[in-house]
Amino acid sequence: MPVTIQTRHMGRFIDPWSYIALGAAGLVLLAFIVAQFFQKTLVSTTVSASEDEPAQLEAIQLSRQPIGALRIDVKALIPTNRWVTYEIQLFDQQGQVIASAIKEAWKESGTWYEEGESGSWSEEDTLGGLDVRAQKNEQVSIAVAVLEYGQISGQELDEPVQFKVTVQNGVVDTRYLLPGLIGAGSLALIAFMATPLSGKKAIAKTIRDSDPSGRGTAGGSDRLVRVKVDVKSDETSPRQLEVRLFINDAYGEQIYAHSLPMTLRYKKENGKVEEATGKVQAFFILEPRSSYGFHVEVMPDAPVDQTTLTVRDRTRTRQSVEVVQISPSPLDISENPQDQQT
């Protein structure tokens, strides 16, 4: 059957989903970066408070921002083996409580003994906080009050407690961005890895020789066919092999023949070449959709240990690729109107 062969660079078969996932990961990463520019430290100080006398900070000007919130971080600076329950309060200009939070903080340490061995351990949970989204520009004040204070042993204490207070405005909670970045990044990686494996296998033939053949149904005007050849050879292989690819139509007539260069990669162990591997692939649009035979010859064939021929129908690509379009010639179509309708 006379055919027309055209080779063009095409991007119409690019899989968009891998780039959509990559773009989502990029947006989350951009949010991480942009969040740093909105964040501003308003207060960073150490205060002392007791059950009878709360610590009152100077009033600060709270401004409404399009992104982020007011974050108050309070860390109890208590000695080891003590605990404290404290409350963080935020007041408006009229002295009304806007928001509050209670934290049960503790700090412990000790030693352990097991099977003749010993060591020490130390744990603590002393950081409390409060996030507030500003609805308008206003002055606010912060207070830290001690509700209870004591030792781990059970003894209550009536002593002042030191607190490290940090107030920032425009803070974005990145705890939720990190899982989003990991999830979107993982999806993008999976999508990029899966793209070369997309489509349906029409042929998958592996032989311990250099000339695999196979036949399968593939093609169509809107379907991309990926032909991939993988080779394993011994240590005597030259740096480059020649892969001859032949395609036959449904009647067994050859409609395509081409040679592809294959560069090998050597695998070494203790400085000695153990084997060489290589792969090449080509893309086709085969018209009409029909049964096609594919045959491969690898030259020179002496060092070749294994050759795998894989043909995938309706595959997708990561980027624009060179595509060989094989279709019936206009003369053949005019002489066979029945084939044209099919």
Side-chain angles (χ1 to χ4, degrees), residues 39-104:
Q39 186 171 311
K40 181 181 179 182
T41 301
L42 305 178
V43 175
S44 180
T45 186
T46 301
V47 298
S48 178
S50 63
E51 293 188 30
D52 299 327
E53 187 176 351
Q56 186 83 26
L57 280 72
E58 293 185 6
I60 58 175
Q61 182 64 38
L62 181 59
S63 301
R64 182 179 181 182
Q65 293 192 352
I67 297 178
L70 178 74
R71 171 167 295 175
I72 305 169
D73 287 328
V74 178
K75 183 175 183 179
L77 306 177
I78 55 177
T80 303
N81 294 326
R82 293 193 181 184
W83 61 270
V84 62
T85 302
Y86 63 90
E87 182 179 13
I88 308 167
Q89 294 181 320
L90 184 67
F91 299 92
D92 61 14
Q93 290 178 290
Q94 288 73 39
Q96 300 296 320
V97 177
I98 302 175
S100 65
I102 296 177
K103 173 67 178 180
E104 296 180 355

Side-chain angles (χ1 to χ4, degrees), residues 28 32 173-184:
V28 177
F32 264 112
D173 193 346
T174 57
R175 294 175 300 174
Y176 302 101
L177 292 178
L178 183 58
L181 179 61
I182 295 174

